């Protein structure tokens, strides 16, 4: 499983911050768990 298939970024969602595909969960939140 390639992690690059699950991380996306779009300027209109979360101000372009990288997030998990098809969610509004930012990637920066994951290391905190």
């Amino acid at each position: 499983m390639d992690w690059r298939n699950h991380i996306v970024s779009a300027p209109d969602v979360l101000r372009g911050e990288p997030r998990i595909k098809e969610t509004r969960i930012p990637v920066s939140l994951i290391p905190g768990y």
Side-chain angles (χ1 to χ4, degrees), residues 3 5 9 11-18 22 24 30-33:
W3 61 269
N5 294 332
S9 179
D12 58 336
V13 180
L14 295 176
R15 290 183 244 152
E17 191 173 335
E22 298 180 7
R24 293 181 61 88
I30 304 301
Y33 288 114

Side-chain angles (χ1 to χ4, degrees), residues 1-10 13-14 17-28 30:
M1 184 183 312
D2 188 14
W3 61 269
R4 286 176 224 129
N5 294 332
H6 301 282
I7 297 176
V8 296
S9 179
V13 180
L14 295 176
E17 191 173 335
R19 61 185 172 89
I20 298 173
K21 190 175 189 177
E22 298 180 7
T23 70
R24 293 181 61 88
I25 300 171
V27 172
S28 61
I30 304 301

